[in-house]
Amino acid sequence: MNNKVDFLVIGSGMAGLIYALNVAPFGRVCILSKIEMDETATSYAQGGIAAVMYDPDNIEKHIKDTIVAGAGLNNEEIVRIAITESTERIKELADWGTHFDKESTGKFSLAKEGGHSEYRILHHKDNTGNEIQRALSEKIKNHPNITVLENNLAIDLITQHHQGKLVKRKNSDITCFGAYTLDKNTGEINTILAKTTLLATGGIGNVYQTTTNPTLSTGDGIAMAYRAKAHIDNLEFVQFHPTSLYNPGEKPSFLITEAMRGAGAELVTRNGKTFMHKYDERGSLAPRDIVARAIDNELKISGDEHVFLDTKKISKSEIINHFPTIYAKCLSIGIDITKDSIPVVPAAHYSCGGVTTDQWGQTSINNLFAAGEVANTGLHGANRLASNSLLESAVFSHRAAEKAATLVANIRFETNIPDWNDEGTVLNEEMILITQSKKELQSIMSNYVGIVRSNLRLKRALDRLIIIYEETEDLFDKSIVSEPICELRNMINVAHLIIRMAMARKESIGLHCNIDYPA
Ligand code: FAD
Ligand code: SIN
């Protein structure tokens, strides 16, 4: 099958959908989702979206908080753009039907999270992402110019490489012509030719054993872009959320939103003692890198498997009204959080780095854009400020759409693109070859490339990863394409990049903590 579209969008989370709605007036749009359209990390977002709304908050305060959290490695121009445009993007989301909670005065209700000096988190109870996804999906489904292909997996981006030309990472003239995709419904591999392509494939959490990310977050976009020779940066900055519910065996790990700490919950040890003040004067509301490392340290000292989040300073009615999802979830495993503390551990949560883009979402490859968690805009620096991710998705997917809409009229569809070459491949009947390698990969990353790293651990990780990499590439070349082998290959590519970038950074800063380079 051969399809042609003006705008190919790989991913149906917040970034993909906002982009699609904004480019749709300018041509045909095709959105790919490797599973059901609404099963995205966006749908799992709890706390909310950060934006400057009312006095006493202002743009300068939000900029300062973002740069302090990011340890100064942020791109200041990008930070200013994101925050200056935040109010407008919130208005757009509300106009499109997103219901953010309001006070009785009619003003938006604003919450506070770690690292924020003001109340500025717009939310819908504790399931903000689900509400945003719902509103956007409804608009998308009714749009005549937009087609959504569910259960369609992008395998690789198409560039001159597929025409048999030599493509080097340093080249400035690599162009993306679309993508090869696997239709999981039929098993067919299709060539989708596109004038412009957006990567909106989300995060990488499943590279680790314990993550808050849904199973779809396997770094596909970063890996595809890397293989297409795009510039990728900052992947050493993997954010571990301090408070995921300790419930061994549950995947993904259920998040306990930081907004609970914003509302007064405190981290305590098994004996009920607070400990965060030993690490930071902001206590339980210090930025995430500090809190996650503090918990990691406390667990190493005590030998315990988790710490607790003590919720007694939050009233019963606030728990039930503002945090209904968390209340119900905990109750389902026998914890009544209006009375009991919540057992919590850190879990891999967010990738600050990714495919490098400019202020219009353009990557180093012509006609290829990236937005959302897959992108490295420079907003987050060495550590993302809470609730700045949904903000980044909103602002830069919108900007990418503006740019792509101006370019599309002057782009022609590429010809001479061969079909996917699957000569000599056979059905891989031994899933164990994939599942075991995935487990090994996750174990390597969690044990050697987690919250605290060392030069020796990173070298061990790389040495072991190379073995899995070679075995998997060999298996990929011989196997009929399937989702599990594609995802494994992508996760290995991403893990390799994380380790390499972590090795290259000879300092401890933000989320990258290497004991051989004390901060
Ligand atoms: P996603 O929403 O993850 O969407 C990715 C899409 O790409 C999916 O449709 C998927 O099917 C598709 N896809 C992936 N690979 C392929 C492929 N190969 N082919 C085809 N399709 C593909 N951030 C905040 O700012 N505030 C919060 O309160 C917050 N809470 C969070 C809570 C949790 C539990 C988690 C996991 C994250 C949270 N985050 C939060 C982070 C935030 O939700 C994400 O960074 C953001 O939603 C990412 O949006 P996205 O559009 O980039 O990707
Ligand atoms: C949370 O609700 O704690 C998650 C917020 C985020 O990831 O920004």
Side-chain angles (χ1 to χ4, degrees), residues 46-47 113 241 255-259 288 349 384 386-388:
Q46 292 187 355
E113 292 180 349
H241 197 291
L255 187 77
I256 306 294
T257 178
E258 200 156 307
R288 279 183 196 167
H349 182 62
R384 173 176 69 95
S387 290
N388 264 359

Side-chain angles (χ1 to χ4, degrees), residues 350-369:
Y350 185 81
S351 170
C352 292
V355 184
T356 301
T357 61
D358 66 10
Q359 54 173 280
W360 296 103
Q362 297 184 112
T363 71
S364 59
I365 294 186
N366 298 321
N367 305 338
L368 179 68
F369 292 79

Side-chain angles (χ1 to χ4, degrees), residues 9-17 31-50 113 121-122 128-129 133 149 151-156 181 199-203 211-214 216-221 224 241 252-257 288 348-351 371-375 384-393 483 486-487 490:
V9 181
I10 310 178
S12 62
M14 182 174 182
L17 299 189
I31 303 177
L32 300 180
S33 166
K34 68 176 171 178
I35 36 183
E36 292 78 38
M37 177 179 175
D38 290 336
E39 175 57 6
T40 62
T42 299
S43 294
Y44 286 66
Q46 292 187 355
I49 176 166
E113 292 180 349
I121 317 295
L122 290 108
T128 312
Q133 182 83 27
L149 298 179
N151 296 311
N152 271 262
L153 174 91
I155 306 167
D156 258 323
T181 65
L199 286 172
T201 47
T211 178
T212 61
N213 291 188
L216 66 98
S217 308
T218 50
D220 297 4
M224 288 189 283
H241 197 291
S253 298
F254 182 81
L255 187 77
I256 306 294
T257 178
R288 279 183 196 167
H349 182 62
Y350 185 81
S351 170
E373 192 167 338
V374 68
R384 173 176 69 95
L385 185 66
S387 290
N388 264 359
S389 167
L390 295 181
L391 171 65
E392 182 188 47
S393 297
E483 184 174 39
C486 287
E487 288 188 339
N490 291 337

